Amino acid sequence: MKKEILEIIEKADKRDTNIPPTLLYNEGWMLRTVLQQIKEKRINHPDLTFTDDGINWYSEALLPTPFSARMKGDKLCETRTHADGVVGKFNIEKKGDLILNDLCNFFYVIEAKMYSKLSTGTKNAKNFNQAARTVACIAQLIYNKQKPVQIDYFKKLAFYVLLPEEQIKNEPTFKEFTDKENIKHTIISRMSLYPLNDNNKKGIFDWLDVNLDNYITKIDIKLITWEDLIENSRDSTLEEFYDKCKHFNKK
């Protein structure tokens, strides 16, 4: 079976391919390749390097949200967030839900882009953009711990967007949505949609009221280009794969 899979993959960029090339040449597989190379120390990057052997990565983990449903048919709720990549000390439960380890002091989330934008909102909150939503989900993970870890305990706490260099120049919403003040006010605005003293949200909202400023100060938020990672890689084939991703995904 592995032989057949490899044959299909090897033909993905050929004229006689049996699958759309974008099933292989996309931001998801670019990210997984990069994270594995970082883990194996074949890419050295100041922001993404794993600091010890207890750190691992995972793709498509489900992150909890502070704005989960309070009841059936909740008009303010949103579903869990699929994270393109997570790195740190965590456990993945059977359905893909991520929980932080008790001793977790290193955690970051990556959103990978290949000529797509950060989404501008959710179904029930049109202005709750993708960056603010992910940062809010990381806050929920910290709050969820039975023995909540102090934010300052983290050696690393971050949200990164990986994307082509030209997208930063051509699409202003990347810088706008990843601005820390913008993220903080977007989360506050999202909370303001709920009734005051909503008992279903009191715990997490009280926590955010107290900790949001410190949390936003602590978390590292950056745009990182694929080109920067390629430049720091020892694998000469990574750039070739990236070029094919750009070729098949650029609109």
Side-chain angles (χ1 to χ4, degrees), residues 176-220:
E176 177 187 347
F177 288 169
T178 54
D179 175 78
K180 284 192 173 187
E181 282 299 306
N182 184 301
I183 288 174
K184 181 174 77 171
H185 290 300
T186 301
I187 292 173
I188 292 170
S189 177
R190 179 76 165 97
M191 292 166 60
S192 72
L193 298 176
Y194 287 77
L196 292 174
N197 300 318
D198 188 323
N199 288 331
N200 292 289
K201 293 298 176 187
K202 183 172 176 56
I204 180 59
F205 282 12
D206 285 351
W207 187 89
L208 285 168
D209 284 338
V210 172
N211 293 287
L212 186 58
D213 283 342
N214 186 34
Y215 171 57
I216 293 296
T217 299
K218 176 71 176 182
I219 191 168
D220 189 27

Side-chain angles (χ1 to χ4, degrees), residues 2 14 24 27 85 96 138 172-173 192 214 226 248 250:
K2 288 183 180 179
K14 304 298 190 294
L24 174 62
E27 65 274 18
I138 298 171
T173 55
S192 72
N214 186 34
W226 295 118
F248 290 115
K250 196 169 185 178

Side-chain angles (χ1 to χ4, degrees), residues 6-21:
L6 286 172
E7 287 175 351
I8 293 169
I9 289 173
E10 286 172 354
K11 287 172 55 180
D13 62 335
K14 304 298 190 294
R15 288 193 175 188
D16 60 343
T17 181
N18 301 108
I19 61 173

Side-chain angles (χ1 to χ4, degrees), residues 62-69 76-82 122-124 128 133 137 190:
L62 290 172
L63 307 183
T65 171
F67 310 105
S68 57
L76 291 175
C77 76
E78 64 191 51
T79 58
R80 295 166 295 176
T81 292
H82 280 85
T122 62
K123 179 181 177 181
N124 295 322
F128 196 47
R133 186 170 79 245
C137 287
R190 179 76 165 97

